[in-house]
Amino acid sequence: MKNRKFHFCVILFLSMIPVVASGQKQNTRSHQNFDANWKFSLGNAADAKRDFDYGIGNIFSKSGETAGTCIATDFKDSTWANVRLPHDWVVALPFQYVKNDDIDSHGYKPVGALFPQNSIGWYRKTFTVNKADSGKRYEIQFDGIYRDSKVWLNGYYIGGHSSGYNSFAFDITDFIKFGKSNVMVVRADATQSEGWFYEGAGIYRHAWLNSYNNVHFKTAGGLFAHAEVADGKAQVKIEADIENRGINAAAATLYSYITDRDGKIIAKGKQIPFTEAIRENKLLVDEMTIINPRLWSLDDAYLYRAVSLIKANGQTIDSINVKFGVRTFKFDSEKGFFLNGKPLKVQGVSCHQDHAGVGSALPDELQYYRIRLLKEMGVNAYRTTHNPPTPELLDACDSLGMLVMDETRLLTSGQEYEQQYRDLILRDRNHASIFMWSIGNEEYVTQRTDIGKRIAQNQILLQQQLDPTRTSTYAANMGNVYRGVNEVIPVRGFNYNLLGIDAYHKEHPLQPIIGTEVASTVTTRSIYVKDTVRAYVPDYDVTFPSWASTAETWWKIADARPWFMGGFAWTGFDYRGEPTPYRWPNINSHFGIMDMCGFPKNVYYYYQSWWTDKDILHIAPHWNWKGKEGKPIDVWVNTNADDVELYLNGKSLGKKEMPRNSHLVWTVNYEPGKLVAVAHKKGKVITAKVETTGAPYSIVLSPSKKILTANGEDAVVINASVVDKNGREVPDALNMLHFDIKGDAQIIGVGNGDPSSHEADKCLPGQWQRSLFGGKAQLIVLSGMQAGSFTVVASGAGIKSNQLPIIQK
């Protein structure tokens, strides 16, 4: 009996010593990009034989028994396509007209229950893991798979995930063959849609292979750094969520510190010893102070780094590094929104996540490109409608200085969707750019009810528990209604219905108000006459659906009310699907302030006039109107100048004062030549012109950058236009352009912003082409792996070609 007690004590003592596998080095955590070298094939949602026997092969009856299916490790996938993630298979499908509301709302792409042959996608990847690393834990992380995905490794089912938007991860340690080939298989089922807009399909965001010690920071929310600012100091709280997945209990120490942008340590935490039982999770908290912190702001997006280490036996067995910002938010029901103690009107846009040419599978550079375009317009806030964004979008907003309203997919608190909201907050809460969470959007059935109120209360409490540093709102299209969700939501969100906000504010003076969705002007870039055949609307701020308003209407309301925090215009960019006000042949929305390529429409210059201090003077339309000589043309001028005088071929058409938050209009009888605007702004003279051009003569290529990283992941956006013999851009050119690459790079998508174009976004190698629309087209090029340079070649019938060299390092 005494011996048994002695042995028990020895076992207990030994179990408190953490196991560090031989060969492990300090800082053993890795976050390896897993995008390359996937194989892809369509399956079939209605025919099991064409779906590689999925549904008739009994793959769930015995663990690891998948023989005869494409899940088996020995399956021959040599005929499958080679793809690199992110990958959206829907964007390559042809457009197809079907009289069906769901197909219409998703942009007439043949995917969903009506098209079973296009709605299942299979992915396979073969990889190896060094035998020397067998002491680590391994995890596969997907930042987004659309949709209803299932994952296998070496024939073993790892798990499934229904959401098309949330990131998720699975521990795969038990299923890895160390030192041998491993086969990962993913099935994505896009039969059931989640939204009413283009969603794409496939592994359309990044994938990662994570490895770490058995005692480690959790992947979801493992480190949360946030600060309170007062008296010239930032009190930073660092919360570490540590997990023990080893076979023994563990004793270790947590140590944290903060660095500036350059890596210099500016604050040190305590050495915090801790023990964890087997399978235990423990939350440890440390605090430290930054003296005279540099505040994150729109113009100075400064990010600190919080670094936390887990140490045992004299080694660092895990470490984690997160960026965070020091800033303050205030939401005042009478004075509006404050950033770092200064009032700030929210000049926001709502955006879906797709882009011309690539669908939902955007290279990271495109996220930065789109945010830079928005900032240039004067946008200071971005709403992620209506789903969790890709992490790289938030990285772009963090580093470029853009506030974010981060929105979950659905307003519901069932176990699955509560977990999705939990995962969203844990993943994103370190991002400096996020100033508010959104618990949902326009839930017609639920939002007015007591059930909606209870759901909202649950989600609000969850948010406050996981992230007490921020608040939340809900995008309600309810007008002046204080019922259901609106009874409990901290910040009342208005989707349209702005004529009721004065009464609502008077009746509920303690509830801050923001326009979660406003405007919805519909315009077609470069088109100035309504065209019901081709489904175009004029590129003036005049046309809008019954529920919405012009840009000018909503902004005048917002700017005149200090307590109204501002809002999010619908939308920053056109997006595939939800065609409005027309349907086929229209295949994408007209709501964008910019088109699907990011080319500005005229309403862009209205916002830029009143959302920036830049000298803005813009004339619309262009002045190529052959056949309309002597007929009246409405000429709009957007500017923030004090006055404008318009001249046609040297003759004054009159001078007008510029009302605040408005625009100017002249009706001009057309004659070819030059239309010039001369404006005065605080004593300074500003000029702008449009003029009649000649025929297209040569191609111009304008890259978003001229140097790429040779990693197979970097990208460049190249905009194409044509000029006449005098070098003037031809604004109404429709030429077909052909594109090619000489060197180690590849074109991955083309577009032109035409909302009724049925030309392919994806072309076969050597056959890339796109017609100009309104004188513009766009191609997106992905970098190769070889340093040096490559050349983009553009040509067209009857016009001078162009070659653009791009350096690759």
Side-chain angles (χ1 to χ4, degrees):
M1 192 68 173
K2 290 181 181 180
N3 288 339
R4 288 181 182 178
K5 287 184 179 180
F6 172 76
H7 289 307
F8 173 78
C9 292
V10 171
I11 293 171
L12 180 61
F13 173 76
L14 291 174
S15 70
M16 292 299 294
I17 301 175
V19 175
V20 181
S22 62
Q24 285 194 23
K25 300 177 182 179
Q26 292 190 355
N27 299 320
T28 57
R29 174 177 290 263
S30 70
H31 183 60
Q32 178 186 345
N33 185 278
F34 212 56
D35 290 348
N37 302 319
W38 288 83
K39 306 287 285 187
F40 170 77
S41 178
L42 286 173
N44 193 296
D47 186 336
K49 294 303 295 182
R50 296 181 183 180
D51 201 28
F52 304 100
D53 288 339
Y54 186 83
I56 56 176
N58 201 358
I59 58 175
F60 292 107
S61 62
K62 296 290 184 180
S63 180
E65 292 189 7
T66 55
T69 71
C70 67
I71 302 166
T73 57
D74 60 355
F75 176 82
K76 305 302 182 184
D77 57 17
S78 58
T79 61
W80 288 23
N82 297 309
V83 299
R84 182 186 182 92
L85 310 182
H87 177 249
D88 174 3
W89 80 70
V90 173
V91 70
L93 297 174
F95 297 99
Q96 183 173 337
Y97 175 70
V98 175
K99 192 175 182 180
N100 174 277
D101 287 343
D102 187 60
I103 301 302
D104 162 271
S105 65
H106 284 78
Y108 298 102
K109 287 291 187 177
V111 65
L114 295 179
F115 305 97
Q117 73 277 14
N118 296 330
S119 299
I120 303 295
W122 287 92
Y123 295 84
R124 288 172 55 90
K125 180 180 172 74
T126 301
F127 64 102
T128 58
V129 179
N130 291 334
K131 196 170 186 178
D133 293 329
S134 61
K136 300 180 183 180
R137 297 211 70 82
Y138 284 83
E139 176 184 73
I140 182 66
Q141 175 185 331
F142 293 102
D143 285 340
I145 300 179
Y146 197 89
R147 185 190 179 269
D148 196 9
S149 56
K150 290 179 171 52
V151 182
W152 292 263
L153 180 59
N154 295 328
Y156 289 88
Y157 180 63
I158 305 300
H161 190 73
S162 63
S163 169
Y165 297 102
N166 274 68
S167 301
F168 64 97
F170 295 127
D171 189 309
I172 58 173
T173 308
D174 295 344
F175 311 99
I176 291 177
K177 298 176 182 178
F178 292 96
K180 299 179 181 179
S181 290
N182 295 271
V183 179
M184 180 163 290
V185 180
V186 176
R187 183 181 190 265
D189 184 347
T191 304
Q192 176 64 59
S193 60
E194 285 190 65
W196 53 97
F197 38 84
Y198 179 87
E199 298 180 281
I203 312 178
Y204 72 100
R205 295 178 181 171
H206 291 303
W208 308 91
L209 182 63
N210 301 326
S211 64
Y212 39 72
N213 194 275
N214 284 316
V215 181
H216 57 265
F217 299 98
K218 293 186 69 176
T219 298
L223 195 71
F224 181 28
H226 52 96
E228 293 186 4
V229 182
D231 302 323
K233 299 178 182 179
Q235 193 68 21
V236 182
K237 180 180 288 188
I238 295 179
E239 303 177 30
D241 193 354
I242 300 173
E243 179 181 40
N244 178 17
R245 287 297 306 277
I247 61 173
N248 298 303
T253 300
L254 174 69
Y255 171 62
S256 303
Y257 59 89
I258 297 171
T259 77
D260 63 13
R261 178 185 289 172
D262 299 320
K264 179 183 177 182
I265 297 177
I266 59 172
K268 297 180 180 180
K270 301 183 291 289
Q271 300 277 351
I272 303 176
F274 67 93
T275 58
E276 279 194 334
I278 301 169
R279 296 271 178 165
E280 186 179 3
N281 238 67
K282 188 162 286 187
L283 184 66
L284 303 177
V285 180
D286 199 2
E287 293 191 22
M288 53 201 80
T289 302
I290 302 175
I291 306 297
N292 296 321
R294 185 169 168 180
L295 301 184
W296 183 94
S297 68
L298 304 177
D299 299 319
D300 183 19
Y302 192 86
L303 298 173
Y304 291 95
R305 276 71 169 165
V307 182
S308 288
L309 314 173
I310 301 174
K311 296 184 176 183
N313 300 337
Q315 287 187 313
T316 297
I317 61 172
D318 195 16
S319 65
I320 192 168
N321 181 331
V322 300
K323 297 177 182 179
F324 71 100
V326 176
R327 70 280 182 270
T328 64
F329 305 137
K330 180 181 178 182
F331 303 86
D332 191 285
S333 62
E334 288 299 327
K335 297 180 181 179
F337 173 65
F338 290 75
L339 175 62
N340 297 329
K342 298 177 181 178
L344 180 72
K345 190 71 75 171
V346 173
Q347 300 168 177
V349 290
S350 299
C351 292
H352 285 304
Q353 63 178 359
D354 60 310
H355 189 90
V358 294
S360 294
L362 278 67
D364 296 350
E365 171 62 21
L366 253 181
Q367 308 291 353
Y368 289 82
Y369 179 76
R370 285 161 63 95
I371 297 301
R372 285 193 293 264
L373 290 177
L374 292 171
K375 281 188 69 74
E376 180 70 17
M377 188 180 89
V379 174
N380 61 23
Y382 185 109
R383 176 177 170 228
T384 67
T385 49
H386 302 288
N387 47 261
T390 187
E392 289 71 32
L393 170 72
L394 299 177
D395 291 340
C397 293
D398 285 348
S399 63
L400 296 176
M402 176 75 72
L403 293 169
V404 175
M405 178 182 287
D406 203 348
E407 186 164 279
T408 192
R409 175 68 284 277
L410 280 179
L411 175 70
T412 183
S413 55
Q415 181 176 346
E416 184 175 341
Y417 279 95
E418 181 187 283
Q419 186 62 46
Q420 287 184 21
Y421 192 38
R422 177 186 298 273
D423 291 343
L424 171 67
I425 295 172
L426 290 176
R427 187 197 71 174
D428 292 352
R429 61 187 180 176
N430 281 310
H431 286 281
S433 55
I434 297 172
F435 78 118
M436 189 184 299
W437 304 98
S438 171
I439 66 171
N441 173 77
E442 295 186 355
E443 298 281 359
Y444 309 113
V445 174
T446 304
Q447 60 187 2
R448 296 170 180 261
T449 66
D450 186 60
I451 290 176
K453 176 182 176 180
R454 280 178 272 150
I455 291 172
Q457 187 68 76
N458 183 85
Q459 301 300 74
I460 293 165
L461 292 173
L462 177 64
Q463 177 257 301
Q464 292 172 348
Q465 173 194 354
L466 299 175
D467 179 17
T469 70
R470 299 178 179 91
T471 189
S472 58
T473 189
Y474 165 75
N477 58 332
M478 300 168 65
N480 189 10
V481 174
Y482 186 74
R483 189 163 67 247
V485 175
N486 289 342
E487 294 179 64
V488 294
I489 200 71
V491 176
R492 169 66 208 270
F494 268 80
N495 278 20
Y496 314 106
N497 298 291
L498 297 186
L499 296 179
I501 63 169
D502 288 324
Y504 188 91
H505 175 61
K506 184 177 180 180
E507 293 167 8
H508 310 286
L510 300 181
Q511 191 177 37
I513 295 176
I514 192 169
T516 37
E517 191 170 310
V518 291
S520 283
T521 303
V522 285
T523 58
T524 307
R525 180 182 61 80
S526 80
I527 300 297
Y528 295 93
V529 179
K530 183 179 179 180
D531 186 338
T532 58
V533 175
R534 289 180 291 183
Y536 297 149
V537 285
D539 196 7
Y540 298 115
D541 186 21
V542 294
T543 311
F544 55 92
S546 59
W547 69 83
S549 72
T550 65
E552 193 166 313
T553 297
W554 94 264
W555 182 246
K556 284 181 176 178
I557 292 172
D559 193 47
R561 292 160 174 78
W563 48 266
F564 186 27
M565 288 188 284
F568 295 85
W570 187 264
T571 53
F573 302 89
D574 280 345
Y575 54 93
R576 187 63 50 77
E578 202 172 20
T580 307
Y582 305 112
R583 297 195 173 191
W584 185 268
N586 182 204
I587 45 82
N588 66 251
S589 82
H590 285 85
F591 294 118
I593 300 167
M594 290 175 273
D595 68 18
M596 285 198 66
C597 294
F599 298 135
K601 304 180 187 181
N602 284 320
V603 71
Y604 175 101
Y605 300 99
Y606 171 78
Y607 285 113
Q608 193 179 47
S609 294
W610 306 112
W611 284 6
T612 76
D613 293 326
K614 301 173 184 176
D615 294 338
I616 305 302
L617 182 60
H618 181 264
I619 306 171
H622 57 74
W623 212 237
N624 285 6
W625 296 103
K626 186 177 181 179
K628 292 194 174 185
E629 288 79 5
K631 295 181 180 179
I633 303 287
D634 282 344
V635 175
W636 283 43
V637 173
N638 285 118
T639 184
N640 49 17
D642 304 320
D643 58 61
V644 180
E645 188 167 6
L646 194 66
Y647 296 84
L648 177 59
N649 294 328
K651 181 182 177 181
S652 176
L653 303 178
K655 184 177 183 178
K656 298 186 179 185
E657 300 295 318
M658 184 66 236
R660 180 172 175 79
N661 294 326
S662 189
H663 69 282
L664 298 175
V665 180
W666 284 260
T667 300
V668 181
N669 291 329
Y670 176 67
E671 63 179 63
K674 187 182 297 184
L675 197 61
V676 177
V678 178
H680 297 88
K681 182 181 179 183
K682 299 178 181 177
K684 181 168 54 176
V685 177
I686 310 167
T687 62
K689 67 178 180 179
V690 293
E691 56 185 314
T692 309
T693 72
Y697 173 72
S698 63
I699 300 170
V700 175
L701 297 176
S702 303
S704 59
K705 58 185 182 181
K706 296 182 179 180
I707 300 176
L708 272 66
T709 303
N711 59 2
E713 301 173 24
D714 201 2
V716 57
V717 179
I718 301 174
N719 294 327
S721 59
V722 290
V723 295
D724 66 9
K725 286 187 176 181
N726 294 320
R728 299 172 299 189
E729 185 173 302
V730 183
D732 56 347
L734 301 172
N735 305 67
M736 176 64 75
L737 302 186
H738 303 273
F739 305 107
D740 202 359
I741 295 281
K742 295 179 180 179
D744 184 32
Q746 60 175 314
I747 302 171
I748 60 171
V750 288
N752 62 11
D754 181 353
S756 295
S757 174
H758 299 162
E759 295 176 35
D761 292 278
K762 304 282 188 181
C763 304
L764 294 174
Q767 299 181 28
W768 285 96
Q769 64 179 26
R770 192 70 174 202
S771 61
L772 297 171
F773 177 70
K776 297 181 183 298
Q778 184 177 88
L779 62 155
I780 301 164
V781 176
L782 196 69
S783 70
M785 301 294 289
Q786 296 178 8
S789 65
F790 62 87
T791 301
V792 179
V793 181
S795 60
I799 52 178
K800 188 178 179 181
S801 63
N802 194 359
Q803 296 192 16
L804 175 69
I806 299 287
I807 297 172
Q808 194 163 258
K809 294 184 177 181

